[in-house]
Amino acid sequence: MSSDANKAVLVSHLLVQFGEFKAVNDISFSVDKGEIFGFLGANGAGKTTSIRVICGLLKPTAGEVSVGGEVFKGNGDNLKKKVGYMSQKFTLYDDLTVAENLEFTASLRKLDQDYFEERKKYLLDFIQFEYSEKSFVRDLSGGIKQQVALVASLLHDPEVIFLDEPTAGVTPVSRALFWSLIQKLADHGKTVFVTSHYMDEVEHCHRIALMRGGEIIALDTPKGL
């Protein structure tokens, strides 16, 4: 795989096979730094398996994946440091406060306390968080929960952020606000992957990859698709 300083993610002939089943079948694509990249496809299309490899959670059967110039090594820890992941579910604990949730995430990432405090303040300002850090997550609206979950995924300052159906179940106003945050992240040079089953969820992306049966069947701008 050739090195390209402008590429945040490079995927070359990626194959992930479980027994005889090819979950991901020889896909290749690249994502530019600062790009908002949509990953669209039904359940079983191969999106999650591809992302697990890119996040350093699953070793590929064949092919190569590079994130920020790092190729999957060992158990993938070198890639894990470069990516942030926000799941649609189970990202935050309802019975903990905002501060406790962020402290827990920071401890998992083994962040220095001073660095954590600095990043927390910066990111809460970034999302314009107007509540007390002592607020319990269960008392926040769905849209605010998603914003706090985004903060948690950004604490270690990753180069690439994966958002799994980030605005599912929130109000149209909250959805628009969250997408404005995604655009701000891209403007700050972060690369954002947005995974979804729905076209309207990824229509604001710069480009979209459409997966079916473990293969990328289309890759273009929303207008081009």
Side-chain angles (χ1 to χ4, degrees):
M1 183 182 296
S2 61
S3 175
D4 190 327
N6 294 320
K7 302 298 181 185
V9 176
L10 284 162
V11 177
S12 178
H13 299 290
L14 177 62
L15 173 69
V16 181
Q17 193 164 340
F18 303 102
E20 297 298 314
F21 175 65
K22 294 180 179 179
V24 178
N25 188 13
D26 193 25
I27 67 170
S28 298
F29 66 94
S30 64
V31 183
D32 292 337
K33 291 180 180 177
E35 184 173 14
I36 304 173
F37 189 82
F39 227 31
L40 188 68
N43 284 330
K47 303 189 311 297
T48 301
T49 303
S50 301
I51 287 166
R52 287 181 67 196
V53 175
I54 298 170
C55 287
L57 299 172
L58 179 66
K59 188 173 183 179
T61 305
E64 198 168 83
V65 169
S66 170
V67 180
E70 287 277 347
V71 178
F72 195 110
K73 297 175 183 175
N75 59 3
D77 281 349
N78 59 323
L79 298 191
K80 294 171 190 172
K81 295 176 181 177
K82 291 182 173 285
V83 300
Y85 182 78
M86 189 184 114
S87 173
Q88 182 186 353
K89 299 178 181 178
F90 311 122
T91 303
L92 301 173
Y93 293 93
D94 277 348
D95 55 348
L96 297 180
T97 65
V98 170
E100 288 168 342
N101 267 285
L102 297 180
E103 287 166 6
F104 177 66
T105 301
S107 69
L108 293 177
R109 289 284 183 179
K110 297 181 173 60
L111 300 183
D112 174 79
Q113 185 66 29
D114 290 341
Y115 176 80
F116 161 62
E117 293 292 344
E118 180 183 331
R119 283 291 293 170
K120 179 177 70 171
K121 183 181 185 305
Y122 169 78
L123 291 168
L124 290 177
D125 288 344
F126 178 81
I127 67 168
Q128 298 181 325
F129 188 72
E130 298 176 345
Y131 302 85
S132 169
E133 290 182 32
K134 295 180 180 178
S135 302
F136 282 94
V137 166
R138 62 172 173 262
D139 296 328
L140 302 177
S141 69
I144 301 300
K145 285 182 182 180
Q146 291 297 72
Q147 292 177 38
V148 175
L150 179 64
V151 168
S153 72
L154 293 169
L155 280 174
H156 61 297
D157 199 18
E159 295 180 26
V160 182
I161 303 103
F162 290 90
L163 307 177
D164 184 12
E165 297 187 51
T167 60
V170 303
T171 66
V173 172
S174 295
R175 175 180 289 201
L177 179 57
F178 197 89
W179 272 99
S180 72
L181 293 175
I182 293 174
Q183 185 60 60
K184 280 175 64 178
L185 285 171
D187 291 343
H188 282 73
K190 299 298 183 184
T191 303
V192 185
F193 260 78
V194 180
T195 64
S196 181
H197 306 293
Y198 307 110
M199 188 66 184
D200 66 341
E201 180 69 23
V202 293
E203 63 185 0
H204 302 296
C205 297
H206 298 136
R207 288 187 303 147
I208 299 168
L210 181 59
M211 287 199 75
R212 186 177 67 193
E215 299 178 350
I216 292 178
I217 60 172
L219 201 168
D220 205 344
T221 64
K223 183 177 180 180
L225 290 175

